[in-house]
Amino acid sequence: QCLYQFLAFVPPSDRSLRKPGTAAVTVDTQHPLTLQLNSSGGDGELCKIQYHFGEFGNYSLVVKTLSTSTSAVSCNLVINEGPINSYLPILFAFLVYTGILAVLIIGRLLMKIDPVRNWVYKKLNPRETDRLINSEFGSPNTTDSVSSDPTPRLWSTASRQRLRSLDTFRGLSLIIMVFVNYGGGKYWFFKHESWNGLTVADLVFPWFVFIMGTSISLSLSSMLTWGSSKWKVLRKILWRSFLLILLGIIVVNPNYCLGPLSWDNLRIPGVLQRLGFTYLVVAALELLFTRPGAESGTLETTCPALQDILPFWPQWIFMLMLEVIWLCLTFLLPVPDCPRGYLGPGGIGDFGNYPNCTGGAAGYIDRLLLGEKHIYQHPSSSVIYQTTMPYDPEGILGTINSIFMAFLGLQAGKIIFFYKDQHKQIMSRFLIWSMVMGIISAVLTKCSKEEGFIPVNKNLWSVSYVTTTCCFAFVLLLLIYYLVDVKRLWSGAPFFYPGMNSILVYIGHEVFENYFPFKWKMEDSQSHAEHLTQNLTATTLWVIISYLLYRRRIFWKI
């Protein structure tokens, strides 16, 4: 539903020289395009062709007059040079990383053979060797390895052992986020969707919010179990939220690209700001309504099968009220010169009828309360829909649904806590929650990208976007929990290490984004292979850094 945009003027052919009129243009290859040829004589449309062009392909649209007496023409698309296979670099990178993984696995298996291990002992310093063998690179921790119990206990109030699956989930989300932020090899599916829809890049931030909610449930229960008062825990929540928001505004701010930070154009919303505020609301809500016995997982309820839900009905009421507020503001708030309930991108979208309505109520609230200069100036919608209005994907209205996302993650944490050591119960509940979220998404979207009641939209953080990404999050957490903490088939490496230092890795990758060796000048800026090499190198470096910090027991906690 986009307005046609002028692409080129084709001059008339020179009949005396029998030379046709030509015009060369570059077109987008991400989406199928409709080319419409209009007559300069005012006769209107001559022909129309829809085609999905391939990267670096060379095409000709050959237009011929069928008859001199009429304006009828023929339009034929000719492929002069076929497009390249732009996915070969991804295949090559996959093979390289698979080879590295295979070498590490073989090396680890060889180290279990006594002659090989003894030979390594002789070649290396004994103390250093012992430290390497007993490190946690790809293996369970030391207390697990020396235990004679074939089914190691995941829960011990004495050791306060962490669930590796949670840090692995967090690290996986973070590493994909780093790769995406560094460019994702310039592939469209590693970029944020222009408006409605979902790409790989759109999954990672809500997953990070989800696992933050899961960690809130377990960490608050742990602190209360170990005797911390609610006031002490509340002060810690307030301080942590303040630091996250401060780091987001002062340290990780895109306006540094324009020079020294100035209040005149300071972007107020942001990723860390949203994380900080979401953490504040969800953690404070959990602390406020925590009942006696909750910290020990022994709440009495009339329905034991729902002990992770029914005792916390005030929290659910609060969340439902927030969602009602989001729905009312989104669909009922009057926005000047825009239809009520508008969820479109504005610009040339919707046939150009609402060019200044980007984001509807969400964009209007941000511009009204924060000011146009204090929100994101280059939203993803500006590329395809040529929007001119600033719009912030981390704005005020969308924060309501990020709170809901974290609360659903909190629910996952309660499932783990209340059904500890009951692996089948935990995994079955993860699966049920995933199915419920998927059904809600199907109803809201009508299983359509554009035609649903509430489309999946990362810029708006729509309800359907939350339920869809939450559906995937429960499935992913189920798989990681099963592999890492139940069957112990995978230690979580290498994602476990950045998951243990998530704040440092996130802020570090933002601050050092344009420094070598994370970025360098490329020979061909149009090459997927060069971009992918650079982005994977930078992402891998952060994994290595997080591993080295883990080995030295250096963790940056807020």
Side-chain angles (χ1 to χ4, degrees):
Q1 296 185 334
C2 288
L3 283 176
Y4 282 99
Q5 300 299 297
F6 176 78
L7 189 61
F9 174 77
V10 185
S13 59
D14 191 333
R15 295 186 178 180
S16 61
L17 299 177
R18 294 186 176 182
K19 184 178 181 182
T22 61
V25 295
T26 303
V27 295
D28 180 70
T29 62
Q30 179 176 343
H31 304 283
L33 295 182
T34 301
L35 299 179
Q36 179 175 298
L37 182 69
N38 294 331
S39 170
S40 58
D43 296 333
E45 177 186 327
L46 297 178
C47 67
K48 182 186 294 183
I49 288 182
Q50 187 174 42
Y51 194 78
H52 195 164
F53 296 95
E55 286 192 39
F56 300 104
N58 187 286
Y59 306 84
S60 290
L61 179 62
V62 181
V63 184
K64 293 183 179 180
T65 304
L66 295 178
S67 171
T68 56
S69 59
T70 65
S71 60
V73 299
S74 67
C75 294
N76 297 306
L77 193 68
V78 179
I79 302 177
N80 304 321
E81 185 177 348
I84 66 169
N85 188 344
S86 59
Y87 302 112
L88 285 177
I90 294 181
L91 175 62
F92 181 76
F94 173 77
L95 294 176
V96 169
Y97 278 89
T98 302
I100 294 173
L101 178 62
V103 170
L104 292 174
I105 293 175
I106 292 173
R108 182 155 189 82
L109 292 175
L110 289 174
M111 288 301 295
K112 293 182 178 180
I113 302 174
D114 289 340
V116 175
R117 186 167 62 248
N118 293 335
W119 181 81
V120 172
Y121 283 169
K122 294 178 182 179
K123 294 296 182 181
L124 297 176
N125 180 282
R127 290 185 179 180
E128 179 65 15
T129 302
D130 183 66
R131 188 172 69 84
L132 287 171
I133 296 299
N134 292 303
S135 70
E136 290 194 341
F137 183 71
S139 66
N141 58 35
T142 307
T143 57
D144 295 331
S145 61
V146 299
S147 174
S148 59
D149 188 355
T151 56
R153 294 182 62 188
L154 299 183
W155 292 89
S156 172
T157 55
S159 62
R160 300 176 71 181
Q161 183 179 343
R162 296 169 68 98
L163 280 175
R164 293 181 72 96
S165 56
L166 303 187
D167 292 310
T168 303
F169 185 104
R170 185 186 300 108
L172 175 61
S173 304
L174 179 61
I175 289 306
I176 299 176
M177 186 185 296
V178 170
F179 175 66
V180 164
N181 289 348
Y182 277 155
K186 296 300 179 183
Y187 289 99
W188 66 268
F189 43 84
F190 289 133
K191 296 180 181 178
H192 292 296
E193 186 62 81
S194 299
W195 199 248
N196 293 336
L198 204 62
T199 65
V200 175
D202 297 322
L203 295 173
V204 289
F205 186 27
W207 283 357
F208 200 85
V209 173
F210 177 89
I211 205 64
M212 180 182 71
T214 307
S215 301
I216 288 172
S217 175
L218 299 176
S219 63
L220 289 187
S221 299
S222 176
M223 284 188 284
L224 293 174
T225 300
W226 283 78
S228 297
S229 66
K230 284 192 173 184
W231 284 111
K232 182 179 179 180
V233 175
L234 180 60
R235 286 196 297 270
K236 189 171 183 177
I237 291 171
L238 292 170
W239 177 245
R240 182 176 292 179
S241 303
F242 171 74
L243 286 180
L244 283 171
I245 295 171
L246 188 67
L247 286 170
I249 294 177
I250 304 300
V251 180
V252 185
N253 199 301
N255 292 66
Y256 280 117
C257 300
L258 305 176
L261 207 61
S262 170
W263 177 253
D264 294 336
N265 58 5
L266 178 70
R267 183 193 177 194
I268 297 176
V271 171
L272 288 181
Q273 295 93 306
R274 174 167 284 188
L275 285 175
F277 189 77
T278 300
Y279 174 82
L280 173 63
V281 174
V282 175
L285 185 69
E286 174 69 1
L287 184 66
L288 178 64
F289 290 106
T290 296
R291 294 170 56 185
E295 66 273 7
S296 59
T298 58
L299 277 178
E300 293 184 2
T301 177
T302 55
C303 183
L306 297 176
Q307 62 175 319
D308 56 321
I309 299 176
L310 293 181
F312 305 98
W313 63 266
Q315 297 179 355
W316 284 98
I317 295 296
F318 181 81
M319 284 297 145
L320 290 175
M321 289 174 58
L322 282 183
E323 286 306 311
V324 169
I325 291 172
W326 184 86
L327 289 169
C328 290
L329 290 175
T330 300
F331 292 100
L332 300 180
L333 181 69
V335 179
D337 302 321
C338 302
R340 287 194 181 186
Y342 182 70
L343 300 176
I348 65 172
D350 299 301
F351 305 108
N353 293 323
Y354 318 110
N356 297 323
C357 295
T358 303
Y364 174 67
I365 290 173
D366 288 342
R367 292 190 294 270
L368 182 67
L369 299 181
L370 303 177
E372 290 190 6
K373 292 185 177 180
H374 298 293
I375 59 178
Y376 196 48
Q377 301 295 309
H378 308 287
S380 58
S381 59
S382 62
V383 178
I384 298 296
Y385 297 101
Q386 301 181 23
T387 57
T388 57
M389 297 293 290
Y391 179 83
D392 208 306
E394 278 77 52
I396 296 172
L397 196 56
T399 303
I400 292 177
N401 283 335
S402 70
I403 292 171
F404 183 47
M405 184 80 189
F407 181 74
L408 292 171
L410 185 81
Q411 183 62 37
K414 289 176 181 175
I415 292 172
I416 294 173
F417 186 72
F418 282 99
Y419 299 96
K420 50 178 174 270
D421 295 327
Q422 303 177 47
H423 304 313
K424 289 185 179 179
Q425 291 279 7
I426 291 173
M427 291 188 292
S428 63
R429 277 165 169 74
F430 284 171
L431 184 60
I432 291 171
W433 272 103
S434 175
M435 293 172 63
V436 170
M437 292 295 107
I439 292 171
I440 294 174
S441 296
V443 172
L444 291 177
T445 63
K446 298 182 182 179
C447 298
S448 167
K449 179 179 177 180
E450 304 285 351
E451 304 301 326
F453 301 108
I454 303 177
V456 173
N457 190 297
K458 191 264 180 186
N459 284 284
L460 296 172
W461 267 73
S462 60
V463 177
S464 56
Y465 173 68
V466 169
T467 55
T468 302
T469 54
C470 191
C471 169
F472 297 148
F474 271 111
V475 172
L476 182 61
L477 183 58
L478 187 157
L479 292 174
I480 295 177
Y481 177 76
Y482 177 76
L483 294 173
V484 175
D485 286 322
V486 178
K487 291 298 183 181
R488 303 292 176 111
L489 298 174
W490 177 33
S491 68
F495 305 114
F496 172 76
Y497 307 112
M500 291 287 289
N501 244 327
S502 55
I503 295 297
L504 187 147
V505 172
Y506 179 80
I507 293 179
H509 101 275
E510 288 278 4
V511 172
F512 295 102
E513 177 181 3
N514 294 314
Y515 290 84
F516 183 84
F518 303 104
K519 196 172 187 178
W520 59 84
K521 186 176 181 180
M522 290 180 289
E523 294 293 329
D524 182 6
S525 61
Q526 295 295 314
S527 168
H528 278 299
E530 286 199 47
H531 279 286
L532 191 63
T533 300
Q534 185 180 94
N535 302 153
L536 285 175
T537 300
T539 305
T540 303
L541 284 173
W542 282 112
V543 174
I544 295 172
I545 290 170
S546 62
Y547 169 67
L548 295 175
L549 292 172
Y550 177 82
R551 287 289 301 273
R552 296 178 181 276
R553 297 296 185 264
I554 299 174
F555 305 106
W556 185 19
K557 302 294 183 182
I558 295 180

